Amino acid sequence: MIYTDQFWGSSFCEEHMYDNTTRCCSCQRFQGRRVQCVDVGDGRKLCPDCLSASIMDTRKCEPLARRMYKFFNNTLNLKFETHVPVLLVDKEEFLRCQYHGHAVSQQPNEIQGWGTTAAVPQDITALFIERCLVHIIGWYGHWERKVEEGMCELISRMWLEEFASDDEFTESLRGMSIFFIENDAHGKEIYGDGFREAKKAVDEYGLKKTLKHIAKTGSFPPSKNEKTGSLLGCFCF
C-alpha cells in the first residue's frame, strides 16, 4: 500500500513504517531518492532542509534566544528580571540536565544576558538549546512525569503557535509538530493526557496560578468543578 504524507505530500510504501528505513528525526520524512539524511554524530539523522534550519553554533543561538525572551515576556506574561545563561549543548548534556537538573558548564557556548521569571522565582534557571535540534528547558522539580511532560507539551504548543514564518518548509514543520502534540504522537498516557490536563488547568486558572500550584504541590490544580471549599486556600496566590 502506498501512503501520502499529509504534511509533505511525499509518497512511501507501507513497509517503510516498520522496516527501520532511515527517517529525519525532525520532520519525520523517510530517506529516499529526494531526501538524503545526514548523521549529526549522536545517532540522530537530519534531512538537508532541517539541517539548514537547525542551531549548529552560537551565531544562530542568540537570535533564537531573543525570540524566546519575547515569547516568555509577551505571550506567557512571565517577566524576566534576573539574568541566567542560555546554553547551546550537545544531546548527551541535554539529557543529563533533563534528568538530573543541572548542566556541566560549557563556557564557550554560553550567552549571557537573558533572564528568569519573577512570576515563579528560581524555577527558570537556564534556557537550553540542543545543538542540531531546538529545545527549551524551563524549570525542574520533583513532579510526576505526566505533570512535567504535560506542561512541556503545552508550552511547546504555545511556542509553535507564535512561531509564524514566511518559509513554506518551516510552516509545514510547525503544523506537523502541533498535530503530533494534539494527537498523542509522543505517547498517550504521559504526553497526551499530560498535555490535556495541563491545558485544562491553564484554561481554568491561567499559566501563573497553574505554575505556582505545581511548584507548591507537584501536581496540577483540581478542576473548579471538582474542588471543594476546603481546597480554596490552595489557590490564594
Side-chain angles (χ1 to χ4, degrees), residues 34-54:
R34 297 182 179 180
V35 178
Q36 291 295 316
C37 294
V38 177
D39 192 326
V40 297
D42 56 11
R44 291 177 297 157
K45 294 179 172 59
L46 290 174
C47 71
D49 291 320
C50 290
L51 187 65
S52 66
S54 65

Side-chain angles (χ1 to χ4, degrees), residues 59-75:
R59 290 176 298 175
K60 288 187 176 181
C61 193
E62 186 168 357
L64 178 64
R66 292 185 183 278
R67 193 163 187 172
M68 289 190 292
Y69 179 89
K70 182 178 179 181
F71 172 71
F72 271 88
N73 277 276
N74 298 343
T75 302

Side-chain angles (χ1 to χ4, degrees), residues 3-234:
Y3 289 92
T4 300
D5 191 293
Q6 62 177 307
F7 298 103
W8 308 111
S10 56
S11 298
F12 57 91
C13 299
E14 181 180 12
E15 56 263 30
H16 292 321
M17 300 172 64
Y18 314 104
D19 65 1
N20 296 319
T21 296
T22 298
R23 64 196 307 175
C24 176
C25 67
S26 178
C27 69
Q28 301 299 309
R29 288 183 294 177
F30 287 105
Q31 178 171 278
R33 290 188 296 272
R34 297 182 179 180
V35 178
Q36 291 295 316
C37 294
V38 177
D39 192 326
V40 297
D42 56 11
R44 291 177 297 157
K45 294 179 172 59
L46 290 174
C47 71
D49 291 320
C50 290
L51 187 65
S52 66
S54 65
I55 305 299
M56 300 290 288
D57 54 47
T58 54
R59 290 176 298 175
K60 288 187 176 181
C61 193
E62 186 168 357
L64 178 64
R66 292 185 183 278
R67 193 163 187 172
M68 289 190 292
Y69 179 89
K70 182 178 179 181
F71 172 71
F72 271 88
N73 277 276
N74 298 343
T75 302
L76 302 185
N77 196 27
L78 300 176
K79 302 302 180 183
F80 282 43
E81 293 191 358
T82 58
H83 294 295
V84 295
V86 175
L87 299 174
L88 182 64
V89 299
D90 59 23
K91 183 179 181 180
E92 181 180 354
E93 181 62 21
F94 184 85
L95 292 175
R96 183 182 298 117
C97 61
Q98 183 176 12
Y99 289 106
H100 298 287
H102 59 82
V104 176
S105 177
Q106 298 197 16
Q107 295 296 330
N109 290 327
E110 186 170 323
I111 299 176
Q112 297 288 352
W114 305 98
T116 187
T117 112
V120 191
Q122 299 181 346
D123 282 347
I124 296 180
T125 57
L127 299 177
F128 289 85
I129 298 175
E130 184 181 345
R131 186 178 286 105
C132 299
L133 192 64
V134 176
H135 287 274
I136 179 172
I137 301 178
W139 49 84
Y140 290 97
H142 299 291
W143 312 338
E144 62 175 297
R145 192 171 175 214
K146 183 169 69 172
V147 175
E148 180 180 347
E149 301 296 355
M151 288 303 302
C152 287
E153 291 287 273
L154 178 63
I155 298 299
S156 294
R157 190 187 187 285
M158 296 170 71
W159 165 258
L160 289 165
E161 288 175 342
E162 290 290 310
F163 207 98
S165 172
D166 294 331
D167 178 69
E168 183 178 352
F169 174 79
T170 301
E171 280 298 289
S172 295
L173 187 61
R174 185 171 75 102
M176 184 198 74
S177 300
I178 292 174
F179 178 86
F180 280 3
I181 290 173
E182 294 179 341
N183 290 275
D184 305 338
H186 300 137
K188 181 180 186 300
E189 184 176 353
I190 298 297
Y191 295 88
D193 291 345
F195 165 71
R196 283 181 284 275
E197 290 185 32
K199 185 176 185 303
K200 182 178 180 180
V202 171
D203 286 345
E204 289 192 8
Y205 295 104
L207 182 61
K208 288 184 179 180
K209 288 186 177 181
T210 299
L211 290 176
K212 286 186 176 182
H213 186 275
I214 292 174
K216 289 180 179 180
T217 69
S219 62
F220 292 121
S223 171
K224 292 180 178 179
N225 296 328
E226 299 172 359
K227 69 186 183 68
T228 64
S230 63
L231 291 173
L232 289 175
C234 297

